[in-house]
Amino acid sequence: MVQDARLYQIGFLALFLLLGAGTRDWSLNPVVVLSAIATCLITQALCGAVFYPSDSLDPETEDPETEDPATETANHANHTGDFWGAIALRCRNPKILSSLPSALVTGLGMSLLLRVDHPLTMALAVIGAIASKFVLRLRGGHVFNPGNFGIVMALLWSGDAWVSPGQWGESGWYGLLFLGAGGLVLQKVGRWDTSAAFLGSYAVLEAVRNLWLGWTWDVWAHRLMSGSLLVFALFMITDPRTIPNSRTGRLIWAGAIALLTFILRNVFFLSTAPFWALFALAPLSLLLDWLLPAARFEWSQSALRLPFSPRLASRQKYVPE
């Protein structure tokens, strides 16, 4: 049984891409998708080589008599001033390989949600997304959801990028597929409460508006069955590394995003309201972690390992609340 939930995300997001291109005629450009995936992986590896410490093993648990050759050599290179040797060894940091599934999730997610006219626009967007994880940090965590950051930057600074909320149409089959796949992933990472709070809060707000205006419930169902909204709620807003660690914090945070999404969509008529709401309220996650401290999420198991990294991978674990 696969323990790393990121592998399920990768499988489902790839399936959604193929399904959308095959049944919804999105006219996806394979060059754009491949450029997004390749750029994500390369940027993650380069940023990891620069920002991850070469001695990433925990010194408190490290046994000097059994130190692995890669770490020992890296420390020697750093101490003796061998610049290129240190760079080469940094590229062998086991944390780089174990972080690549997260980068692949970002690349697939952005390929699913963001549309561009030129592959370079997508490449710049994913570079910004991955780089934000390493540069925009506070209290040891990401400030922004990487995929959301890349999408918002592309919408802000590029004239050929857009998000199409209605690309999945209104078929209930897609909604059931998203709910089933998203439910499986969220059960693995224990963050189903975030999606439930967001969708439940947003559904109540839209229901109140529907009653106020005297509209039929078909309108309400139409606004909630948007495929892009479900993908956002199940696969983007639930990134366990960028949401509050405590359950109470997650419920407050998801409710606030639902409220801002409702305002942006119905007052300012922004069709991409969920993405702007998540971007604007991302720093609130750090404040809630400070006010409501809880165990920080860690991925349960590295999907990929280098031969010299058994001890680092074995220390990664999921700490449930």
Side-chain angles (χ1 to χ4, degrees), residues 175 198-207 217-230 265:
F198 172 79
L199 289 174
S201 301
Y202 186 71
V204 169
L205 291 168
E206 287 287 359
W217 289 105
D218 291 344
V219 178
W220 178 77
H222 170 73
R223 296 177 74 86
L224 293 180
M225 289 305 294
S226 163
S228 294
L229 179 69
L230 292 177
R265 187 171 185 184

Side-chain angles (χ1 to χ4, degrees), residues 5 10 21 47 103 126 178 196 198 260 262 279 289 311:
I10 292 169
C47 288
V126 298
F178 297 150
F198 172 79
L260 185 55
F262 176 80
F279 180 79
D289 277 342
R311 285 179 294 158

Side-chain angles (χ1 to χ4, degrees), residues 37-80:
I37 294 173
T39 306
C40 266
L41 296 176
I42 293 172
T43 306
Q44 178 75 31
L46 292 176
C47 288
V50 173
F51 290 98
Y52 287 147
S54 58
D55 53 345
S56 57
L57 295 175
D58 185 354
E60 295 183 1
T61 60
E62 190 172 321
D63 181 359
E65 295 183 357
T66 60
E67 185 175 28
D68 64 85
T71 302
E72 186 177 12
T73 308
N75 291 335
H76 175 73
N78 287 333
H79 295 157
T80 58

